[in-house]
Amino acid sequence: MNPEADNSLRMSRWNCPVELPADSERVSLSIGEGARHTRRFLQKTVFPRLRCSSSITDATLIEVEQRRLAICTDSHTVTPLFFPGGDLGSLSVIGTVNDLAVSGAMPCWLTMSLILEEGLPVTVLERLLDSAAAAAQQCDVTIVAGDTKVVPRGAVDGIFINTTGVGEFGDSIPAGPKSLEPGDRLLVSGPIGQHGLAVLSSRQGMAFLNAVESDLKCLLPGVSEVLKRGGASVKCLRDATRGGVSAVLHEWAEEANVSFELDQSSIPVSRQVRGACEILGLEPLHLANEGTFVAAVAPACAEEVLNVLRSVPQFREATLIGTVMPKSVTPVAVRRLFGSPIPLDEPAGAPFPRIC
Amino acid sequence: MNPEADNSLRMSRWNCPVELPADSERVSLSIGEGARHTRRFLQKTVFPRLRCSSSITDATLIEVEQRRLAICTDSHTVTPLFFPGGDLGSLSVIGTVNDLAVSGAMPCWLTMSLILEEGLPVTVLERLLDSAAAAAQQCDVTIVAGDTKVVPRGAVDGIFINTTGVGEFGDSIPAGPKSLEPGDRLLVSGPIGQHGLAVLSSRQGMAFLNAVESDLKCLLPGVSEVLKRGGASVKCLRDATRGGVSAVLHEWAEEANVSFELDQSSIPVSRQVRGACEILGLEPLHLANEGTFVAAVAPACAEEVLNVLRSVPQFREATLIGTVMPKSVTPVAVRRLFGSPIPLDEPAGAPFPRIC
């Protein structure tokens, strides 16, 4: 489309009071991918204007009397609405519960705001609400407030769900990336890349991928065991959603001024995901997860924390995948069976938008 | 479009596991209008599934130790993004702050979740964030957490903003509609219909309406005075947003088993709004407001509460507009200069979607 026409069209649509040159900067999909571009955009455009702290965390502390509450918000726009292993309803609850969990908070309350497209079959909405309710029950959170908007056909793609979670911080909260030291071990709670491929397969109707199910699940049982046993030696926790494990590690590397070395042979990847990634030329470390977290643990406790995590049925396949190294030119490198470690790219360019 | 095609198209888009008949019930715009259809839909489809309390309030109580917190959520989808008297940014902050205020809570924290359309000019976003920040400062709330999603062109119309508000309930909270008794007086905090017409005019480019500005403003200064002076005699408070004053009164009438009689001559309507409504055949009582609330007050205190409210500059034009009556066949009737009171419709059919 001719940018001028496009621009004037949008201006009339938005009634924007400022004159916009046709070549004015536009929001790109990569801003939403959850990695470097997102971080840069937030730090440059959003945080200064909203006067927010510029550190990106999964949940924010709000102090009420002696109680330390955690709050986080997430809008869920996944397409298609139903995918192997979950749907928008369960994802909107579990995604937010997991953000609280990896922050070291016990989730208590959720708000749920529905943005519905005119013409959405009510049956579809009912199924999504049913699985949201089931997920809330399973995660032991209560949906306490909500909102429902309906917009005309075409103004939104089917249904988006925002959930905001409020929980309470426990006694042991990970100190965060700044506390990372060379020698700390990296742990991943299970096979990676499942969610990304599950959504991709159902979106593109790739029959050969249909065996892949999303890892969507509540992280609370695993995280609480890790924090209980690991205590202060658990330095960082993060659910590896948009941008996958790679995005998490690159963010930590930047904040902590360290590098990471991963051992390729120990990274848990299911046979189907490995196969699909080879066919499609994808890197599992870049794919989104919705029930898998990364932890950095002091070396002395790493084995012990790994074992307690493995004792939780859903996290039987947890593995130590690498080590924190002194800062080098490559923030994240992967050591293969032979040869020198190869650098791992930070995801950039949003290979799959609307993954969550 | 042929419904079958439409249906199969949508099914492939959503990947819905259930077979949907082409004639399956669809979400309609009227469900989002904030009046009867919304209530029925929530009570039939949403609340039972999410196991929520079926009473519709502006904010929910969550108890933390001795502290009584209020929480509410609202997704803002107004179009166009900029309108006389405000924009999506200020609306997304003030709208949620007002929901807390009319619940008798002092707003403290906000979360803000952005859903951006690929291609949105960054300048547009920057302006919206600037006015959101200004509004937050003016309302004395802190934006503590956020989320940013970008969806491909066409998946959302420009930008939607969800805000979730957390505040703290004060000592005097309105008892709610169930406490209404015949004789109680109805008070409106200012001229009605401004926001609805302001958005309509900027949307349709109706030059003759351009004089109309949205009433968008923080209700806190007015509400806190009313509650301080009125105490327990202030029985109901509600900001008259979607569906206007009419929607609020019809909802109260249903919950309280009473009727209302309004005195047309005392309903504050600006000259421009009255003129525009006559030309367009609209009822000001049906139009959305974003800085105007309705209060039901025990007769003994009504005048006193009115005067204290009028002493607040932004609410100088507050007026007593009617009285609670014993339940009759018409939930809300309007007494004109001559003749018998005429029944007032409950808004139904969403005359203007995406007003907030």
Side-chain angles (χ1 to χ4, degrees):
Chain A
M1 184 170 12
N2 145 9
E4 310 265 351
D6 172 48
N7 192 47
S8 57
L9 162 81
R10 287 165 177 279
M11 285 314 91
S12 64
R13 193 174 93 197
W14 296 326
N15 195 34
C16 180
V18 285
E19 191 52 57
L20 291 176
D23 64 353
S24 60
E25 193 191 350
R26 303 295 188 117
V27 167
S28 70
L29 283 172
S30 64
I31 285 172
E33 109 230 301
R36 191 194 311 123
H37 292 175
T38 309
R39 232 156 48 233
R40 299 275 174 277
F41 180 75
L42 293 175
Q43 284 155 356
K44 171 167 163 278
T45 306
V46 180
F47 293 156
R49 292 193 158 70
L50 298 184
R51 301 171 181 73
C52 302
S53 100
S54 68
S55 82
I56 299 167
T57 56
D58 284 305
T60 309
L61 167 73
I62 55 181
E63 299 220 27
V64 176
E65 301 273 339
Q66 305 320 326
R67 304 278 289 266
R68 298 161 65 241
L69 298 182
I71 188 164
C72 66
T73 187
D74 207 343
S75 289
H76 302 271
T77 64
V78 67
T79 183
L81 297 175
F82 302 85
F83 49 84
D87 57 43
L88 175 65
S90 48
L91 179 64
S92 68
V93 168
I94 294 172
T96 297
V97 163
N98 285 349
D99 282 342
L100 290 170
V102 294
S103 312
M106 183 62 63
C108 308
W109 303 284
L110 279 188
T111 65
M112 177 171 286
S113 177
L114 309 171
I115 303 178
L116 311 175
E117 182 184 17
E118 173 191 19
L120 179 79
V122 172
T123 318
V124 170
L125 175 61
E126 288 172 344
R127 286 186 74 100
L128 295 175
L129 292 175
D130 285 338
S131 56
Q137 194 163 30
Q138 181 224 329
C139 301
D140 193 24
V141 291
T142 318
I143 296 168
V144 289
D147 172 51
T148 305
K149 293 286 190 308
V150 181
V151 297
R153 252 174 227 272
V156 73
D157 182 18
I159 168 175
F160 292 168
I161 301 181
N162 171 280
T163 51
T164 299
V166 178
E168 189 162 9
F169 281 110
D171 304 328
S172 57
I173 301 172
K178 298 230 180 312
S179 67
L180 288 174
E181 294 164 298
D184 292 338
R185 305 302 314 281
L186 290 172
L187 177 156
V188 66
S189 67
I192 62 172
Q194 302 283 136
H195 179 73
L197 273 184
V199 172
L200 181 67
S201 67
S202 50
R203 192 184 299 174
Q204 311 295 359
M206 297 179 181
F208 68 94
L209 284 183
N210 285 353
V212 181
E213 270 217 343
S214 169
D215 61 331
L216 180 64
K217 62 176 168 296
C218 179
L219 294 177
L220 212 48
V223 167
S224 53
E225 282 304 310
V226 164
L227 289 175
K228 209 187 304 161
R229 181 66 57 96
S233 65
V234 179
K235 298 182 168 184
C236 301
L237 272 182
R238 179 67 60 87
D239 52 337
T241 55
R242 284 182 287 177
V245 172
S246 174
V248 173
L249 296 182
H250 279 88
E251 193 177 319
W252 287 356
E254 183 176 295
E255 260 196 76
N257 266 302
V258 297
S259 288
F260 298 100
E261 186 171 289
L262 306 183
D263 170 9
Q264 188 169 44
S265 62
S266 63
I267 298 169
V269 183
S270 73
R271 209 169 35 72
Q272 300 102 317
V273 170
R274 189 180 305 284
C277 283
E278 277 164 11
I279 295 168
L280 301 169
L282 298 171
E283 168 53 64
L285 289 162
H286 286 164
L287 294 177
N289 311 277
E290 285 295 343
T292 304
F293 63 90
V294 184
V297 187
C301 284
E303 284 293 341
E304 191 182 350
V305 167
L306 176 68
N307 293 329
V308 67
L309 180 55
R310 280 184 170 164
S311 70
V312 184
Q314 307 93 293
F315 302 98
R316 211 178 293 104
E317 299 174 71
T319 325
L320 294 172
I321 60 168
T323 311
V324 178
M325 313 290 278
K327 184 176 177 60
S328 74
V329 284
T330 47
V332 185
V334 181
R335 178 173 295 285
R336 296 156 304 168
L337 218 47
F338 306 105
S340 58
I342 49 170
L344 176 70
D345 294 345
E346 179 165 18
F352 316 122
R354 300 185 61 190
I355 210 78
C356 62
Chain B
M1 188 172 6
N2 148 6
E4 311 264 353
D6 172 48
N7 191 47
S8 57
L9 164 81
R10 288 168 174 278
M11 287 313 92
S12 64
R13 196 175 89 198
W14 297 328
N15 195 31
C16 179
V18 285
E19 191 52 57
L20 292 175
D23 63 351
S24 61
E25 193 190 350
R26 303 296 188 116
V27 167
S28 69
L29 282 172
S30 64
I31 285 172
E33 107 229 302
R36 191 194 309 121
H37 292 175
T38 309
R39 232 156 48 236
R40 298 275 173 278
F41 180 75
L42 293 175
Q43 284 155 355
K44 171 167 162 283
T45 306
V46 179
F47 293 156
R49 291 193 158 70
L50 298 183
R51 302 172 180 74
C52 302
S53 97
S54 68
S55 83
I56 299 165
T57 56
D58 284 305
T60 310
L61 167 73
I62 55 181
E63 299 219 28
V64 176
E65 299 275 339
Q66 307 319 324
R67 303 281 288 269
R68 298 161 64 244
L69 298 183
I71 187 164
C72 67
T73 188
D74 206 343
S75 288
H76 303 270
T77 64
V78 66
T79 184
L81 296 175
F82 301 85
F83 50 84
D87 58 43
L88 174 66
S90 48
L91 179 63
S92 68
V93 168
I94 294 172
T96 296
V97 163
N98 285 349
D99 281 343
L100 291 170
V102 294
S103 312
M106 184 61 64
C108 307
W109 303 284
L110 279 188
T111 65
M112 175 171 288
S113 178
L114 309 170
I115 304 178
L116 310 175
E117 181 184 19
E118 174 191 18
L120 179 79
V122 172
T123 318
V124 170
L125 175 62
E126 288 172 344
R127 285 185 75 99
L128 295 175
L129 292 175
D130 285 338
S131 55
Q137 193 163 30
Q138 181 224 330
C139 300
D140 193 25
V141 291
T142 318
I143 297 168
V144 290
D147 172 50
T148 306
K149 292 285 191 304
V150 181
V151 297
R153 252 172 226 274
V156 74
D157 182 17
I159 168 174
F160 292 168
I161 300 181
N162 171 279
T163 51
T164 299
V166 178
E168 188 162 9
F169 280 111
D171 304 330
S172 57
I173 300 172
K178 298 229 180 315
S179 68
L180 288 174
E181 292 165 300
D184 293 337
R185 305 303 312 281
L186 289 172
L187 177 154
V188 67
S189 68
I192 63 172
Q194 301 284 137
H195 180 71
L197 273 184
V199 173
L200 181 66
S201 67
S202 50
R203 192 183 299 173
Q204 312 295 359
M206 297 181 182
F208 69 95
L209 284 183
N210 285 353
V212 181
E213 270 219 343
S214 169
D215 61 332
L216 179 65
K217 64 176 166 295
C218 179
L219 294 177
L220 213 49
V223 167
S224 54
E225 282 304 310
V226 164
L227 289 175
K228 211 188 306 162
R229 182 66 58 96
S233 65
V234 179
K235 298 181 169 185
C236 302
L237 272 181
R238 179 68 61 85
D239 52 336
T241 54
R242 283 182 289 177
V245 172
S246 175
V248 173
L249 296 181
H250 278 88
E251 192 176 319
W252 287 355
E254 182 175 296
E255 259 197 78
N257 264 301
V258 296
S259 287
F260 298 100
E261 187 171 288
L262 306 182
D263 171 9
Q264 188 169 43
S265 62
S266 64
I267 299 169
V269 183
S270 74
R271 207 167 39 70
Q272 300 101 316
V273 170
R274 189 182 305 285
C277 283
E278 276 166 12
I279 295 169
L280 301 170
L282 298 171
E283 168 53 65
L285 290 162
H286 286 164
L287 294 177
N289 311 277
E290 285 295 342
T292 304
F293 63 90
V294 185
V297 187
C301 285
E303 285 292 344
E304 193 182 347
V305 169
L306 176 67
N307 294 330
V308 66
L309 179 56
R310 280 183 170 164
S311 70
V312 184
Q314 308 93 296
F315 301 99
R316 214 179 292 105
E317 298 175 74
T319 324
L320 294 172
I321 60 168
T323 311
V324 178
M325 313 290 278
K327 185 178 176 56
S328 74
V329 284
T330 48
V332 185
V334 181
R335 178 173 297 284
R336 294 157 304 168
L337 219 48
F338 308 106
S340 58
I342 49 169
L344 175 70
D345 294 344
E346 179 167 17
F352 315 122
R354 301 186 59 188
I355 210 79
C356 62

